[in-house]
């Protein structure tokens, strides 16, 4: 019986296959898993008697999932103590995922800030390996400084097939731009896409807010923009109320929203 057929509220013990240190406070855990998940969904990772935390899936492969975690609390700190061969408990997947059927055949623009790159990493790799599914891919990805850069090897790899703008808010190093991601939206020739394009925006709320406003200045239609509110996740089933924004339960209705809805949810 696959893990997918079990009670979705009952966590399954899954073995840690590898651990990759991305930065001093962010590591990627590759977990053995037969769960069937869509790009953009998330899982609940837990340790018995410690607690659980909602984590976006940053990689999907044959028999595994990747989760990129930041050590920010009791649960994630405990997870960071685990070693290859140890077990974590997973339940899910939850959320609606990216609308892949609406993205294929288009020019895609990804705009990410900091750890916002993690929830789109698997989707970027999907299109990197299947460029025939899209017209083109542009990636604008920003980090606070050189110490916070994630997925360094993949950032180099993606340059091979994607048009890329990598930038640092507070550092100036060789091969990188300086400034906020919003500064590079003007480099995109939206008119050349003849409205056959879509944007995916993920990052801190303030970054998503001003990215949306900048896109509006460039007359990008609301229906062409998608945002993820994965940072709002908590219980994943709409019971705790922590993800509620007005009448919207992000874990049940999202975390992926079209901009027409998303701009009403941003603080």
């Amino acid at each position: 019986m696959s893990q997918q057929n079990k009670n979705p509220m009952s966590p399954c013990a899954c073995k840690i296959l590898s651990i990759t240190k991305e930065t001093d406070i962010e590591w990627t855990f590759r977990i053995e898993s037969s769960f069937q998940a869509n790009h953009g969904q998330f899982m609940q990772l837990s340790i018995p008697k410690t607690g659980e935390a909602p984590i976006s899936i940053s990689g999907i492969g044959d028999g595994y999932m990747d989760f990129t975690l930041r050590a920010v609390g009791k649960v994630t700190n405990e997870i960071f103590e685990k070693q290859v061969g140890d077990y974590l408990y997973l339940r899910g997947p939850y959320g609606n995922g990216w609308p892949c059927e609406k993205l294929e055949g288009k020019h895609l623009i990804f705009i990410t800030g900091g750890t916002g790159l993690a929830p789109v990493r698997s989707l970027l790799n999907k299109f990197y390996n299947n460029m025939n599914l899209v017209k083109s891919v542009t990636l604008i990805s920003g980090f606070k400084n050189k110490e916070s850069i994630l997925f360094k090897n993949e950032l180099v790899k993606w340059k091979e097939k994607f048009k890329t703008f990598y930038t640092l808010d507070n550092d100036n190093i060789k091969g990188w731009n300086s400034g906020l991601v919003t500064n590079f939206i003007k480099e995109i020739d939206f008119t050349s896409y003849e409205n056959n394009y879509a944007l995916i925006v993920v990052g801190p709320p303030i970054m998503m807010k001003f990215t949306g406003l900048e896109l509006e200045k460039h007359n990008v239609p609301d229906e062409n923009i998608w945002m993820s509110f994965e940072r709002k996740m908590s219980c994943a089933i709409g019971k705790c109320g922590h993800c509620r924004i007005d009448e919207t339960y992000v874990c049940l209705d999202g975390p992926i929203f079209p901009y027409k809805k998303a701009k009403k949810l941003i603080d």
Side-chain angles (χ1 to χ4, degrees):
M1 181 183 292
S2 73
Q3 292 165 321
Q4 199 74 16
N5 293 329
K6 297 182 180 180
N7 184 343
M9 289 301 297
S10 179
C12 293
C14 300
K15 185 186 294 185
I16 299 173
L17 300 177
S18 67
I19 302 173
T20 302
K21 183 177 180 181
E22 306 287 353
T23 72
D24 287 342
I25 59 172
E26 288 138 340
W27 296 358
T28 295
F29 288 75
R30 177 158 294 183
I31 311 295
E32 186 176 42
S33 169
S34 62
F35 285 101
Q36 300 300 307
N38 298 321
H39 303 283
Q41 289 189 295
F42 66 99
M43 302 285 290
Q44 289 281 359
L45 274 60
S46 63
I47 299 175
K49 299 182 180 180
T50 298
E52 65 178 5
I55 306 294
S56 292
I57 301 166
S58 63
I60 301 173
D62 186 14
Y64 73 85
M65 289 182 179
D66 289 343
F67 300 91
T68 302
L69 288 71
R70 174 179 289 179
V72 292
K74 181 180 179 182
V75 177
T76 50
N77 288 341
E78 285 289 328
I79 292 175
F80 271 39
E81 295 297 319
K82 296 292 185 179
Q83 304 294 324
V84 172
D86 290 342
Y87 286 80
L88 293 175
Y89 286 77
L90 274 63
R91 66 174 173 93
Y94 298 105
N96 54 357
W98 297 109
C100 290
E101 71 284 352
K102 296 181 180 180
L103 301 178
E104 293 183 6
K106 297 181 182 294
H107 297 276
L108 301 183
I109 303 99
F110 293 77
I111 305 177
T112 70
T115 55
L117 183 57
V120 298
R121 174 178 173 247
S122 67
L123 190 59
L124 285 166
N125 282 325
K126 169 187 170 74
F127 292 129
Y128 178 88
N129 293 322
N130 300 276
M131 287 297 292
N132 59 301
L133 296 178
V134 294
K135 295 291 186 181
S136 69
V137 176
T138 298
L139 172 59
I140 302 175
S141 192
F143 298 93
K144 184 179 295 184
N145 49 45
K146 62 182 179 182
E147 287 78 19
S148 62
I149 298 172
L150 298 174
F151 313 128
K152 296 181 179 68
N153 292 335
E154 283 166 303
L155 289 172
V156 173
K157 179 186 77 172
W158 291 330
K159 283 186 174 184
E160 298 170 3
K161 298 182 181 180
F162 302 162
K163 184 176 183 180
T164 60
F165 299 90
Y166 300 153
T167 185
L168 300 175
D169 296 349
N170 303 319
D171 267 348
N172 193 336
I173 62 174
K174 184 178 180 180
W176 282 71
N177 296 291
S178 296
L180 303 176
V181 292
T182 49
N183 296 344
F184 300 90
I185 292 174
K186 63 180 181 293
E187 303 295 334
I188 302 171
D189 183 8
F190 292 106
T191 58
S192 68
Y193 298 151
E194 299 179 340
N195 204 34
N196 186 32
Y197 66 93
L199 289 105
I200 290 174
V201 181
V202 194
I206 192 69
M207 169 263 175
M208 293 199 296
K209 175 181 179 178
F210 283 101
T211 297
L213 293 174
E214 189 65 24
L215 292 172
E216 289 179 11
K217 293 179 184 178
H218 289 266
N219 299 313
V220 175
D222 287 359
E223 59 267 25
N224 290 23
I225 308 169
W226 299 84
M227 292 183 171
S228 173
F229 285 72
E230 51 93 21
R231 290 173 179 237
K232 296 290 290 184
M233 297 297 95
S234 189
C235 76
I237 57 172
K239 298 299 184 183
C240 73
H242 287 121
C243 75
R244 182 178 176 182
I245 306 174
D246 295 327
E247 298 305 313
T248 299
Y249 284 82
V250 174
C251 66
L252 299 181
D253 302 321
I256 312 300
F257 293 96
Y259 184 57
K260 184 176 181 179
K261 176 76 171 181
K263 62 182 174 182
K264 299 177 183 178
L265 303 177
I266 300 174
D267 296 333

mmCIF file of all heavy atoms in Angstrom, residues 2-4 8 10-12 14 32-37 43 60-61 64-65 90-93:
data_model
loop_
_atom_site.group_PDB
_atom_site.id
_atom_site.type_symbol
_atom_site.label_atom_id
_atom_site.label_comp_id
_atom_site.label_asym_id
_atom_site.label_seq_id
_atom_site.Cartn_x
_atom_site.Cartn_y
_atom_site.Cartn_z
ATOM 1 N N SER A 2 0.564 2.184 -0.884
ATOM 2 C CA SER A 2 1.364 3.403 -0.940
ATOM 3 C C SER A 2 1.004 4.311 0.213
ATOM 4 O O SER A 2 -0.066 4.232 0.798
ATOM 5 C CB SER A 2 1.126 4.125 -2.271
ATOM 6 O OG SER A 2 -0.141 4.729 -2.279
ATOM 7 N N GLN A 3 1.917 5.214 0.533
ATOM 8 C CA GLN A 3 1.651 6.185 1.589
ATOM 9 C C GLN A 3 0.428 7.024 1.260
ATOM 10 O O GLN A 3 -0.290 7.464 2.148
ATOM 11 C CB GLN A 3 2.872 7.083 1.774
ATOM 12 C CG GLN A 3 4.075 6.343 2.338
ATOM 13 C CD GLN A 3 5.342 7.129 2.179
ATOM 14 O OE1 GLN A 3 5.541 7.770 1.158
ATOM 15 N NE2 GLN A 3 6.209 7.077 3.168
ATOM 16 N N GLN A 4 0.171 7.223 -0.037
ATOM 17 C CA GLN A 4 -0.918 8.090 -0.460
ATOM 18 C C GLN A 4 -2.278 7.540 -0.030
ATOM 19 O O GLN A 4 -3.222 8.281 0.147
ATOM 20 C CB GLN A 4 -0.882 8.230 -1.987
ATOM 21 C CG GLN A 4 -1.656 9.428 -2.526
ATOM 22 C CD GLN A 4 -0.950 10.726 -2.279
ATOM 23 O OE1 GLN A 4 0.232 10.732 -1.985
ATOM 24 N NE2 GLN A 4 -1.651 11.835 -2.392
ATOM 25 N N PRO A 8 -4.899 10.678 5.641
ATOM 26 C CA PRO A 8 -4.083 11.879 5.428
ATOM 27 C C PRO A 8 -3.738 12.621 6.711
ATOM 28 O O PRO A 8 -2.858 13.465 6.728
ATOM 29 C CB PRO A 8 -4.956 12.747 4.510
ATOM 30 C CG PRO A 8 -6.347 12.262 4.742
ATOM 31 C CD PRO A 8 -6.227 10.794 5.012
ATOM 32 N N SER A 10 -2.785 10.965 9.400
ATOM 33 C CA SER A 10 -1.864 10.097 10.128
ATOM 34 C C SER A 10 -0.470 10.188 9.521
ATOM 35 O O SER A 10 -0.267 9.776 8.366
ATOM 36 C CB SER A 10 -2.363 8.650 10.075
ATOM 37 O OG SER A 10 -1.482 7.786 10.749
ATOM 38 N N PRO A 11 0.503 10.734 10.239
ATOM 39 C CA PRO A 11 1.852 10.876 9.680
ATOM 40 C C PRO A 11 2.509 9.523 9.410
ATOM 41 O O PRO A 11 2.258 8.540 10.113
ATOM 42 C CB PRO A 11 2.615 11.638 10.777
ATOM 43 C CG PRO A 11 1.559 12.251 11.633
ATOM 44 C CD PRO A 11 0.401 11.310 11.590
ATOM 45 N N CYS A 12 3.333 9.504 8.382
ATOM 46 C CA CYS A 12 4.099 8.308 8.030
ATOM 47 C C CYS A 12 5.575 8.543 8.316
ATOM 48 O O CYS A 12 6.105 9.624 8.049
ATOM 49 C CB CYS A 12 3.923 7.976 6.549
ATOM 50 S SG CYS A 12 2.264 7.474 6.089
ATOM 51 N N CYS A 14 9.286 8.441 7.493
ATOM 52 C CA CYS A 14 10.030 8.463 6.233
ATOM 53 C C CYS A 14 11.512 8.708 6.524
ATOM 54 O O CYS A 14 11.866 9.582 7.314
ATOM 55 C CB CYS A 14 9.496 9.559 5.313
ATOM 56 S SG CYS A 14 7.740 9.365 4.889
ATOM 57 N N GLU A 32 12.902 10.008 1.845
ATOM 58 C CA GLU A 32 12.322 8.898 1.094
ATOM 59 C C GLU A 32 10.800 8.971 1.187
ATOM 60 O O GLU A 32 10.239 9.072 2.282
ATOM 61 C CB GLU A 32 12.820 7.578 1.670
ATOM 62 C CG GLU A 32 12.402 6.355 0.880
ATOM 63 C CD GLU A 32 13.009 5.087 1.443
ATOM 64 O OE1 GLU A 32 13.046 4.941 2.678
ATOM 65 O OE2 GLU A 32 13.450 4.231 0.645
ATOM 66 N N SER A 33 10.127 8.936 0.034
ATOM 67 C CA SER A 33 8.681 9.145 0.058
ATOM 68 C C SER A 33 8.039 8.639 -1.223
ATOM 69 O O SER A 33 8.589 8.802 -2.315
ATOM 70 C CB SER A 33 8.367 10.634 0.219
ATOM 71 O OG SER A 33 7.009 10.888 -0.009
ATOM 72 N N SER A 34 6.863 8.024 -1.066
ATOM 73 C CA SER A 34 6.055 7.641 -2.227
ATOM 74 C C SER A 34 4.787 8.478 -2.316
ATOM 75 O O SER A 34 3.877 8.172 -3.074
ATOM 76 C CB SER A 34 5.696 6.157 -2.156
ATOM 77 O OG SER A 34 4.914 5.871 -1.003
ATOM 78 N N PHE A 35 4.708 9.550 -1.517
ATOM 79 C CA PHE A 35 3.577 10.471 -1.636
ATOM 80 C C PHE A 35 3.546 11.052 -3.045
ATOM 81 O O PHE A 35 4.593 11.361 -3.632
ATOM 82 C CB PHE A 35 3.712 11.621 -0.642
ATOM 83 C CG PHE A 35 3.410 11.257 0.785
ATOM 84 C CD1 PHE A 35 4.440 11.019 1.679
ATOM 85 C CD2 PHE A 35 2.106 11.171 1.231
ATOM 86 C CE1 PHE A 35 4.173 10.701 3.002
ATOM 87 C CE2 PHE A 35 1.820 10.858 2.552
ATOM 88 C CZ PHE A 35 2.862 10.614 3.441
ATOM 89 N N GLN A 36 2.343 11.216 -3.588
ATOM 90 C CA GLN A 36 2.169 11.842 -4.891
ATOM 91 C C GLN A 36 1.775 13.294 -4.676
ATOM 92 O O GLN A 36 0.690 13.577 -4.168
ATOM 93 C CB GLN A 36 1.102 11.105 -5.697
ATOM 94 C CG GLN A 36 1.422 9.644 -5.949
ATOM 95 C CD GLN A 36 2.709 9.459 -6.725
ATOM 96 O OE1 GLN A 36 2.883 10.051 -7.802
ATOM 97 N NE2 GLN A 36 3.604 8.639 -6.213
ATOM 98 N N ALA A 37 2.643 14.212 -5.045
ATOM 99 C CA ALA A 37 2.403 15.626 -4.779
ATOM 100 C C ALA A 37 2.562 16.441 -6.051
ATOM 101 O O ALA A 37 3.265 16.044 -6.988
ATOM 102 C CB ALA A 37 3.365 16.137 -3.718
ATOM 103 N N MET A 43 3.893 19.821 2.822
ATOM 104 C CA MET A 43 3.675 18.698 3.725
ATOM 105 C C MET A 43 3.835 19.176 5.162
ATOM 106 O O MET A 43 4.464 20.203 5.427
ATOM 107 C CB MET A 43 4.701 17.581 3.461
ATOM 108 C CG MET A 43 4.709 17.023 2.050
ATOM 109 S SD MET A 43 3.320 15.932 1.664
ATOM 110 C CE MET A 43 3.711 14.512 2.675
ATOM 111 N N ILE A 60 10.831 17.230 -6.099
ATOM 112 C CA ILE A 60 10.057 16.001 -6.260
ATOM 113 C C ILE A 60 10.811 15.091 -7.211
ATOM 114 O O ILE A 60 11.200 15.498 -8.301
ATOM 115 C CB ILE A 60 8.654 16.290 -6.824
ATOM 116 C CG1 ILE A 60 7.868 17.237 -5.907
ATOM 117 C CG2 ILE A 60 7.877 14.985 -7.024
ATOM 118 C CD1 ILE A 60 6.539 17.691 -6.485
ATOM 119 N N GLY A 61 11.042 13.846 -6.785
ATOM 120 C CA GLY A 61 11.736 12.898 -7.631
ATOM 121 C C GLY A 61 11.188 11.502 -7.433
ATOM 122 O O GLY A 61 10.232 11.286 -6.688
ATOM 123 N N TYR A 64 11.344 10.198 -3.688
ATOM 124 C CA TYR A 64 11.814 11.159 -2.675
ATOM 125 C C TYR A 64 11.139 12.514 -2.837
ATOM 126 O O TYR A 64 10.588 12.838 -3.886
ATOM 127 C CB TYR A 64 13.331 11.327 -2.737
ATOM 128 C CG TYR A 64 13.821 12.111 -3.933
ATOM 129 C CD1 TYR A 64 13.861 13.510 -3.914
ATOM 130 C CD2 TYR A 64 14.257 11.475 -5.092
ATOM 131 C CE1 TYR A 64 14.307 14.238 -5.010
ATOM 132 C CE2 TYR A 64 14.703 12.188 -6.189
ATOM 133 C CZ TYR A 64 14.712 13.566 -6.141
ATOM 134 O OH TYR A 64 15.152 14.293 -7.227
ATOM 135 N N MET A 65 11.218 13.292 -1.767
ATOM 136 C CA MET A 65 10.857 14.706 -1.776
ATOM 137 C C MET A 65 11.960 15.486 -1.089
ATOM 138 O O MET A 65 12.615 14.963 -0.179
ATOM 139 C CB MET A 65 9.544 14.957 -1.023
ATOM 140 C CG MET A 65 8.295 14.478 -1.686
ATOM 141 S SD MET A 65 6.859 14.912 -0.664
ATOM 142 C CE MET A 65 5.538 14.274 -1.675
ATOM 143 N N LEU A 90 5.819 12.462 8.062
ATOM 144 C CA LEU A 90 5.191 13.316 7.057
ATOM 145 C C LEU A 90 3.701 13.014 6.964
ATOM 146 O O LEU A 90 3.288 11.852 7.051
ATOM 147 C CB LEU A 90 5.812 13.089 5.674
ATOM 148 C CG LEU A 90 7.066 13.875 5.286
ATOM 149 C CD1 LEU A 90 8.236 13.537 6.207
ATOM 150 C CD2 LEU A 90 7.433 13.592 3.830
ATOM 151 N N ARG A 91 2.908 14.069 6.781
ATOM 152 C CA ARG A 91 1.508 13.905 6.390
ATOM 153 C C ARG A 91 1.186 14.949 5.331
ATOM 154 O O ARG A 91 1.743 16.041 5.303
ATOM 155 C CB ARG A 91 0.568 13.994 7.578
ATOM 156 C CG ARG A 91 0.467 15.339 8.287
ATOM 157 C CD ARG A 91 -0.624 15.285 9.363
ATOM 158 N NE ARG A 91 -0.663 16.494 10.193
ATOM 159 C CZ ARG A 91 -1.442 17.552 9.959
ATOM 160 N NH1 ARG A 91 -2.225 17.557 8.884
ATOM 161 N NH2 ARG A 91 -1.419 18.595 10.767
ATOM 162 N N GLY A 92 0.269 14.603 4.464
ATOM 163 C CA GLY A 92 -0.087 15.480 3.366
ATOM 164 C C GLY A 92 -0.196 14.700 2.062
ATOM 165 O O GLY A 92 -0.415 13.493 2.082
ATOM 166 N N PRO A 93 -0.005 15.325 0.909
ATOM 167 C CA PRO A 93 0.294 16.745 0.716
ATOM 168 C C PRO A 93 -0.948 17.621 0.838
ATOM 169 O O PRO A 93 -2.075 17.147 0.736
ATOM 170 C CB PRO A 93 0.851 16.783 -0.706
ATOM 171 C CG PRO A 93 0.122 15.666 -1.400
ATOM 172 C CD PRO A 93 -0.053 14.589 -0.367
#
